PDB file of all heavy atoms in Angstrom:
ATOM      1  N   ASN A  49       7.512  -4.740  -6.394  1.00 97.00           N
ATOM      2  CA  ASN A  49       7.402  -5.470  -7.666  1.00 97.00           C
ATOM      3  C   ASN A  49       8.607  -5.209  -8.590  1.00 97.00           C
ATOM      4  O   ASN A  49       9.166  -6.102  -9.254  1.00 97.00           O
ATOM      5  CB  ASN A  49       6.087  -5.160  -8.401  1.00 97.00           C
ATOM      6  CG  ASN A  49       4.977  -5.860  -7.673  1.00 97.00           C
ATOM      7  OD1 ASN A  49       5.040  -7.002  -7.221  1.00 97.00           O
ATOM      8  ND2 ASN A  49       3.796  -5.161  -7.611  1.00 97.00           N
ATOM      9  N   ASP A  50       8.867  -4.027  -8.561  1.00 97.00           N
ATOM     10  CA  ASP A  50       9.971  -3.505  -9.429  1.00 97.00           C
ATOM     11  C   ASP A  50      11.288  -4.084  -9.076  1.00 97.00           C
ATOM     12  O   ASP A  50      12.128  -4.505  -9.825  1.00 97.00           O
ATOM     13  CB  ASP A  50      10.048  -1.974  -9.421  1.00 97.00           C
ATOM     14  CG  ASP A  50      10.874  -1.351 -10.507  1.00 97.00           C
ATOM     15  OD1 ASP A  50      10.817  -1.885 -11.612  1.00 97.00           O
ATOM     16  OD2 ASP A  50      11.669  -0.418 -10.134  1.00 97.00           O
ATOM     17  N   LEU A  51      11.535  -4.103  -7.729  1.00 98.00           N
ATOM     18  CA  LEU A  51      12.747  -4.647  -7.201  1.00 98.00           C
ATOM     19  C   LEU A  51      12.967  -6.165  -7.575  1.00 98.00           C
ATOM     20  O   LEU A  51      14.073  -6.617  -7.888  1.00 98.00           O
ATOM     21  CB  LEU A  51      12.904  -4.492  -5.714  1.00 98.00           C
ATOM     22  CG  LEU A  51      13.132  -3.107  -5.223  1.00 98.00           C
ATOM     23  CD1 LEU A  51      13.008  -2.963  -3.727  1.00 98.00           C
ATOM     24  CD2 LEU A  51      14.515  -2.576  -5.664  1.00 98.00           C
ATOM     25  N   VAL A  52      11.837  -6.878  -7.468  1.00 98.00           N
ATOM     26  CA  VAL A  52      11.747  -8.318  -7.835  1.00 98.00           C
ATOM     27  C   VAL A  52      12.063  -8.472  -9.285  1.00 98.00           C
ATOM     28  O   VAL A  52      12.933  -9.316  -9.673  1.00 98.00           O
ATOM     29  CB  VAL A  52      10.437  -8.988  -7.388  1.00 98.00           C
ATOM     30  CG1 VAL A  52      10.420 -10.372  -7.955  1.00 98.00           C
ATOM     31  CG2 VAL A  52      10.297  -9.033  -5.901  1.00 98.00           C
ATOM     32  N   ASP A  53      11.456  -7.737 -10.086  1.00 97.00           N
ATOM     33  CA  ASP A  53      11.668  -7.683 -11.596  1.00 97.00           C
ATOM     34  C   ASP A  53      13.155  -7.570 -11.871  1.00 97.00           C
ATOM     35  O   ASP A  53      13.587  -8.122 -12.845  1.00 97.00           O
ATOM     36  CB  ASP A  53      10.797  -6.683 -12.280  1.00 97.00           C
ATOM     37  CG  ASP A  53       9.336  -7.098 -12.242  1.00 97.00           C
ATOM     38  OD1 ASP A  53       8.997  -8.188 -11.898  1.00 97.00           O
ATOM     39  OD2 ASP A  53       8.561  -6.116 -12.570  1.00 97.00           O
ATOM     40  N   ARG A  54      13.757  -6.642 -11.195  1.00 97.00           N
ATOM     41  CA  ARG A  54      15.160  -6.296 -11.433  1.00 97.00           C
ATOM     42  C   ARG A  54      16.084  -7.241 -10.914  1.00 97.00           C
ATOM     43  O   ARG A  54      17.375  -6.945 -10.863  1.00 97.00           O
ATOM     44  CB  ARG A  54      15.473  -4.821 -11.100  1.00 97.00           C
ATOM     45  CG  ARG A  54      14.691  -3.867 -12.001  1.00 97.00           C
ATOM     46  CD  ARG A  54      14.486  -2.558 -11.256  1.00 97.00           C
ATOM     47  NE  ARG A  54      15.663  -1.755 -10.993  1.00 97.00           N
ATOM     48  CZ  ARG A  54      15.799  -0.866 -10.067  1.00 97.00           C
ATOM     49  NH1 ARG A  54      14.702  -0.609  -9.355  1.00 97.00           N
ATOM     50  NH2 ARG A  54      16.853  -0.150  -9.848  1.00 97.00           N
ATOM     51  N   GLY A  55      15.668  -8.217 -10.042  1.00 97.00           N
ATOM     52  CA  GLY A  55      16.494  -9.171  -9.369  1.00 97.00           C
ATOM     53  C   GLY A  55      17.271  -8.727  -8.182  1.00 97.00           C
ATOM     54  O   GLY A  55      18.236  -9.239  -7.721  1.00 97.00           O
ATOM     55  N   LEU A  56      16.689  -7.550  -7.597  1.00 98.00           N
ATOM     56  CA  LEU A  56      17.357  -6.969  -6.430  1.00 98.00           C
ATOM     57  C   LEU A  56      16.710  -7.521  -5.103  1.00 98.00           C
ATOM     58  O   LEU A  56      17.279  -7.294  -4.091  1.00 98.00           O
ATOM     59  CB  LEU A  56      17.236  -5.419  -6.528  1.00 98.00           C
ATOM     60  CG  LEU A  56      17.875  -4.767  -7.740  1.00 98.00           C
ATOM     61  CD1 LEU A  56      17.621  -3.307  -7.817  1.00 98.00           C
ATOM     62  CD2 LEU A  56      19.318  -5.128  -7.892  1.00 98.00           C
ATOM     63  N   ALA A  57      15.494  -8.103  -5.287  1.00 98.00           N
ATOM     64  CA  ALA A  57      14.964  -8.680  -4.156  1.00 98.00           C
ATOM     65  C   ALA A  57      14.084  -9.940  -4.598  1.00 98.00           C
ATOM     66  O   ALA A  57      13.897 -10.068  -5.863  1.00 98.00           O
ATOM     67  CB  ALA A  57      13.911  -7.742  -3.561  1.00 98.00           C
ATOM     68  N   THR A  58      13.807 -10.876  -3.600  1.00 98.00           N
ATOM     69  CA  THR A  58      13.039 -12.111  -3.969  1.00 98.00           C
ATOM     70  C   THR A  58      11.714 -12.000  -3.162  1.00 98.00           C
ATOM     71  O   THR A  58      11.743 -11.422  -2.058  1.00 98.00           O
ATOM     72  CB  THR A  58      13.784 -13.316  -3.777  1.00 98.00           C
ATOM     73  OG1 THR A  58      14.193 -13.243  -2.366  1.00 98.00           O
ATOM     74  CG2 THR A  58      14.969 -13.489  -4.761  1.00 98.00           C
ATOM     75  N   ARG A  59      10.709 -12.574  -3.727  1.00 97.00           N
ATOM     76  CA  ARG A  59       9.475 -12.721  -3.000  1.00 97.00           C
ATOM     77  C   ARG A  59       9.148 -14.139  -2.772  1.00 97.00           C
ATOM     78  O   ARG A  59       9.240 -15.051  -3.672  1.00 97.00           O
ATOM     79  CB  ARG A  59       8.385 -12.103  -3.921  1.00 97.00           C
ATOM     80  CG  ARG A  59       6.966 -12.211  -3.337  1.00 97.00           C
ATOM     81  CD  ARG A  59       5.977 -11.462  -4.219  1.00 97.00           C
ATOM     82  NE  ARG A  59       6.307 -11.514  -5.619  1.00 97.00           N
ATOM     83  CZ  ARG A  59       6.248 -10.453  -6.359  1.00 97.00           C
ATOM     84  NH1 ARG A  59       5.797  -9.260  -5.942  1.00 97.00           N
ATOM     85  NH2 ARG A  59       6.599 -10.535  -7.709  1.00 97.00           N
ATOM     86  N   ILE A  60       8.760 -14.570  -1.565  1.00 96.00           N
ATOM     87  CA  ILE A  60       8.202 -15.860  -1.270  1.00 96.00           C
ATOM     88  C   ILE A  60       6.827 -15.769  -0.577  1.00 96.00           C
ATOM     89  O   ILE A  60       6.699 -14.807   0.274  1.00 96.00           O
ATOM     90  CB  ILE A  60       9.125 -16.731  -0.517  1.00 96.00           C
ATOM     91  CG1 ILE A  60       9.625 -16.163   0.868  1.00 96.00           C
ATOM     92  CG2 ILE A  60      10.454 -17.080  -1.332  1.00 96.00           C
ATOM     93  CD1 ILE A  60      10.051 -17.121   1.842  1.00 96.00           C
ATOM     94  N   GLU A  61       6.003 -16.768  -0.841  1.00 94.00           N
ATOM     95  CA  GLU A  61       4.733 -16.722   0.012  1.00 94.00           C
ATOM     96  C   GLU A  61       4.926 -17.414   1.220  1.00 94.00           C
ATOM     97  O   GLU A  61       5.601 -18.429   1.337  1.00 94.00           O
ATOM     98  CB  GLU A  61       3.639 -17.494  -0.852  1.00 94.00           C
ATOM     99  CG  GLU A  61       3.112 -16.646  -1.905  1.00 94.00           C
ATOM    100  CD  GLU A  61       1.911 -17.463  -2.660  1.00 94.00           C
ATOM    101  OE1 GLU A  61       0.997 -17.821  -2.042  1.00 94.00           O
ATOM    102  OE2 GLU A  61       2.110 -17.711  -3.892  1.00 94.00           O
ATOM    103  N   ASP A  62       4.297 -16.839   2.291  1.00 89.00           N
ATOM    104  CA  ASP A  62       4.530 -17.472   3.611  1.00 89.00           C
ATOM    105  C   ASP A  62       3.427 -18.445   3.834  1.00 89.00           C
ATOM    106  O   ASP A  62       2.367 -18.182   4.067  1.00 89.00           O
ATOM    107  CB  ASP A  62       4.363 -16.364   4.705  1.00 89.00           C
ATOM    108  CG  ASP A  62       4.522 -16.833   6.090  1.00 89.00           C
ATOM    109  OD1 ASP A  62       5.066 -17.980   6.163  1.00 89.00           O
ATOM    110  OD2 ASP A  62       4.141 -16.221   7.027  1.00 89.00           O
ATOM    111  N   THR A  63       3.842 -19.709   3.622  1.00 81.00           N
ATOM    112  CA  THR A  63       2.908 -20.922   3.745  1.00 81.00           C
ATOM    113  C   THR A  63       2.634 -21.269   5.225  1.00 81.00           C
ATOM    114  O   THR A  63       1.658 -21.753   5.583  1.00 81.00           O
ATOM    115  CB  THR A  63       3.422 -22.148   3.105  1.00 81.00           C
ATOM    116  OG1 THR A  63       4.728 -22.307   3.448  1.00 81.00           O
ATOM    117  CG2 THR A  63       3.372 -21.955   1.576  1.00 81.00           C
ATOM    118  N   GLY A  64       3.613 -20.770   6.162  1.00 78.00           N
ATOM    119  CA  GLY A  64       3.401 -21.061   7.478  1.00 78.00           C
ATOM    120  C   GLY A  64       2.312 -20.321   8.218  1.00 78.00           C
ATOM    121  O   GLY A  64       1.659 -20.842   9.129  1.00 78.00           O
ATOM    122  N   SER A  65       2.037 -19.173   7.677  1.00 76.00           N
ATOM    123  CA  SER A  65       0.994 -18.313   8.377  1.00 76.00           C
ATOM    124  C   SER A  65      -0.359 -18.523   7.683  1.00 76.00           C
ATOM    125  O   SER A  65      -0.487 -18.839   6.542  1.00 76.00           O
ATOM    126  CB  SER A  65       1.462 -16.924   8.465  1.00 76.00           C
ATOM    127  OG  SER A  65       0.776 -16.191   7.401  1.00 76.00           O
ATOM    128  N   LYS A  66      -1.396 -18.136   8.449  1.00 79.00           N
ATOM    129  CA  LYS A  66      -2.701 -18.216   7.810  1.00 79.00           C
ATOM    130  C   LYS A  66      -3.012 -17.012   6.889  1.00 79.00           C
ATOM    131  O   LYS A  66      -3.897 -17.073   6.097  1.00 79.00           O
ATOM    132  CB  LYS A  66      -3.791 -18.241   8.907  1.00 79.00           C
ATOM    133  CG  LYS A  66      -3.733 -19.618   9.737  1.00 79.00           C
ATOM    134  CD  LYS A  66      -4.993 -19.764  10.573  1.00 79.00           C
ATOM    135  CE  LYS A  66      -4.922 -21.180  11.197  1.00 79.00           C
ATOM    136  NZ  LYS A  66      -6.003 -21.415  12.056  1.00 79.00           N
TER     137      LYS A  66
END
Side-chain angles (χ1 to χ4, degrees):
Chain A
N49 284 325
D50 194 42
L51 288 171
V52 172
D53 288 348
R54 291 153 71 200
L56 304 175
T58 54
R59 171 175 38 222
I60 56 158
E61 278 180 65
D62 182 18
T63 49
S65 100
K66 291 194 174 177

